[in-house]
Amino acid sequence: MNAALLILGAIAAQEIGEDCTLEGIALYGKVKIVEAFADLEVEVVEAFPDLKVKPVTVFPDACGEWQFVESFPDFTVRRVEDFADLEIMFVESFPGWP
């Protein structure tokens, strides 16, 4: 029973907060894609994402708006196929929670 509670606690820890954060990282802003030592590992999915992401070129200041940059990122991500911290789906409108 205690193991089940630990697993549920681990799953709950991965939920996006009401302030659009995960693990203390705001899920909007300037993002750099890296191959190692990323702040978050993300999996791109076609349905049922944890977060809808809209790539923008300026002012990434709303939940799910990401501006991809090469320097001075707010956080870094690494794309993975399994065991991601966050599942995302790219959209053209209405970013944020599904």
Side-chain angles (χ1 to χ4, degrees):
M1 181 100 137
N2 289 339
L5 291 175
L6 289 174
I7 291 171
L8 289 175
I11 292 170
Q14 295 297 317
E15 289 183 6
I16 298 172
E18 289 182 20
D19 57 349
C20 196
T21 62
L22 179 68
E23 298 177 4
I25 299 169
L27 297 176
Y28 53 89
K30 296 179 180 179
V31 181
K32 181 176 181 177
I33 300 172
V34 296
E35 294 296 320
F37 307 109
D39 296 320
L40 294 172
E41 293 185 337
V42 300
E43 179 180 354
V44 178
V45 295
E46 295 296 320
F48 307 110
D50 299 322
L51 182 73
K52 293 180 181 178
V53 173
K54 178 182 177 184
V56 297
T57 56
V58 294
F59 306 118
D61 53 7
C63 186
E65 291 184 349
W66 290 10
Q67 179 181 358
F68 292 99
V69 297
E70 288 299 317
S71 55
F72 306 111
D74 296 320
F75 64 98
T76 59
V77 297
R78 180 172 81 104
R79 187 171 177 180
V80 296
E81 297 298 321
D82 296 306
F83 307 109
D85 298 318
L86 181 68
E87 292 181 349
I88 64 169
M89 180 171 73
F90 288 106
V91 296
E92 293 182 17
S93 58
F94 306 110
W97 296 277

